[in-house]
Amino acid sequence: MNYQKLYECLFCAVRTAGIVANMMQATIVNEGKQVEVVEDEDERHLRMREAKTRADEIVQEILLQSVLPEYQAVLSLDVEEDTASRTCFLKQDYDYTLVLDPIDGTLDYLHQKDTWSICSAILHEHDVRLAIVYFPKRDIMYTYVEGVGCRVYHRLKQCTAADGEVLSVQCDNTPSVVYKNSRLSQDIVQQLWERGFQVVDDSEQELGCPDAILACMRGEGLAYFSDTRNIRDILLGAILSKLENGHAYDYAGNAARWASHGRQKEIVFSIFEKNQIF
């Protein structure tokens, strides 16, 4: 697989899709969708999963159409929406998996916020080989491409694929703050407290997630403990883990083994070694 070539294809499609989604945001409505019941799920998370707009479907079609001519026989799909081009990808062995969330944060999108994103990734042999997270309202994109590394694009609409700045981090001090999402078990939270960490739920932050993960990417947080997080935050964490000093761990501190699909239930992202966390 030529990941750089595939990335250049997705780069152009994501940039176009961001322009389209931005133009639609002011007038979009929530059409809703049926979702499976999750045990003990709170009302907020249920509303998030039920949200769907016409923009979700249009963005997904833009992305699928961009890779369809050359990659339909190679890629299995893990995508959000049931759109026409989805039926053209017949492989289901998940050797190479294309992960798409056309608008991750649909409720934020409907509420005119800037934290919604367009996300895509390629998984192969239980690892992330390519990841893209684009925030159209912020016009910032974070990426990882195998063989190239991690990049950030400011003012993406003015950029080409070659214009990304190298993402790197240098941290002189070890932070004591550990971020998490609300599904993390109280037992693990208690263990983190007992180790002397300040544990902060990302919903308590003024800007919330994804900014908690971005803080960890900058070395301002020790780690992000994720339990059944959405694709945007999983892929931001994946990009963090691909930094020069980045890691993805399971809850025991072992190197994480990615599933063949995009959703990872229990995973920890950090730029610090496991003996500083576990």
Side-chain angles (χ1 to χ4, degrees):
M1 177 73 72
N2 185 332
Y3 293 108
Q4 178 62 30
K5 183 178 180 181
L6 178 54
Y7 171 71
E8 290 172 359
C9 180
L10 284 169
F11 176 93
C12 294
V14 167
R15 184 174 56 189
T16 299
I19 293 170
V20 171
N22 258 335
M23 292 173 62
M24 296 180 68
Q25 187 179 12
T27 58
I28 208 71
V29 296
N30 187 1
E31 299 175 5
K33 61 183 176 184
Q34 291 186 334
V35 297
E36 295 182 4
V37 175
V38 175
E39 186 177 359
D40 297 328
E41 183 174 38
D42 60 39
E43 185 67 22
R44 180 172 67 91
H45 285 107
L46 176 61
R47 289 200 306 271
M48 289 169 61
R49 293 196 301 117
E50 288 177 330
K52 188 192 84 167
T53 71
R54 180 63 177 149
D56 290 86
E57 296 176 338
I58 291 173
V59 167
Q60 180 167 297
E61 278 296 285
I62 291 172
L63 299 181
L64 288 180
Q65 284 288 327
S66 74
V67 300
L68 179 60
E70 190 162 350
Y71 297 99
Q72 73 176 105
V74 180
L75 299 174
S76 304
L77 296 185
D78 177 7
V79 300
E80 285 287 310
E81 309 302 334
D82 188 16
T83 59
S85 295
R86 184 175 186 168
T87 61
C88 299
F89 293 81
L90 301 179
K91 283 181 68 67
Q92 296 184 22
D93 60 8
Y94 297 98
D95 185 18
Y96 290 92
T97 306
L98 172 63
V99 179
L100 293 180
D101 196 330
I103 295 183
D104 193 319
T106 301
L107 281 181
D108 288 352
Y109 181 72
L110 288 163
H111 295 155
Q112 310 298 312
K113 296 182 179 179
D114 69 353
T115 48
W116 59 276
S117 59
I118 298 173
C119 303
S120 60
I122 298 291
L123 303 181
H124 176 58
E125 295 181 341
H126 299 284
D127 199 8
V128 177
R129 309 292 179 159
L130 183 158
I132 299 172
V133 180
Y134 177 39
F135 297 92
K137 292 289 281 189
R138 300 179 180 185
D139 204 21
I140 297 175
M141 186 164 82
Y142 299 87
T143 69
Y144 167 73
V145 183
E146 184 165 292
V148 177
C150 301
R151 299 287 186 271
V152 60
Y153 297 80
H154 300 278
R155 297 182 295 277
L156 178 76
K157 290 192 285 291
Q158 302 174 27
C159 295
T160 69
D163 292 334
E165 302 173 17
V166 175
L167 251 180
S168 62
V169 60
Q170 293 184 353
C171 187
D172 297 328
N173 301 308
T174 304
S176 61
V177 175
V178 171
Y179 293 103
K180 71 173 187 71
N181 66 302
S182 59
R183 293 189 177 102
L184 189 68
S185 75
Q186 191 58 38
D187 286 344
I188 295 177
V189 173
Q190 182 65 37
Q191 293 172 27
L192 292 169
W193 282 339
E194 291 173 356
R195 295 185 196 126
F197 298 129
Q198 177 187 357
V199 182
V200 178
D201 192 290
D202 59 34
S203 65
E204 299 175 15
Q205 297 301 291
E206 182 178 349
L207 296 176
C209 207
D211 294 284
I213 294 179
L214 294 175
C216 292
M217 192 180 290
R218 296 189 298 268
E220 298 168 5
L222 180 67
Y224 186 92
F225 277 69
S226 169
D227 188 332
T228 323
R229 218 31 178 119
N230 55 348
I231 289 294
R232 175 198 63 193
D233 304 316
I234 289 295
L235 293 187
L236 274 180
I239 295 168
L240 181 159
S241 75
K242 295 297 184 178
L243 291 170
E244 183 178 357
N245 299 316
H247 305 278
Y249 302 110
D250 63 20
Y251 284 3
N254 304 308
R257 179 176 170 84
W258 291 80
S260 60
H261 290 49
R263 289 151 184 80
Q264 311 295 312
K265 185 179 187 305
E266 299 177 350
I267 197 163
V268 181
F269 301 110
S270 180
I271 62 167
F272 296 94
E273 299 293 334
K274 67 178 182 180
N275 61 1
Q276 297 174 277
I277 306 169
F278 300 95

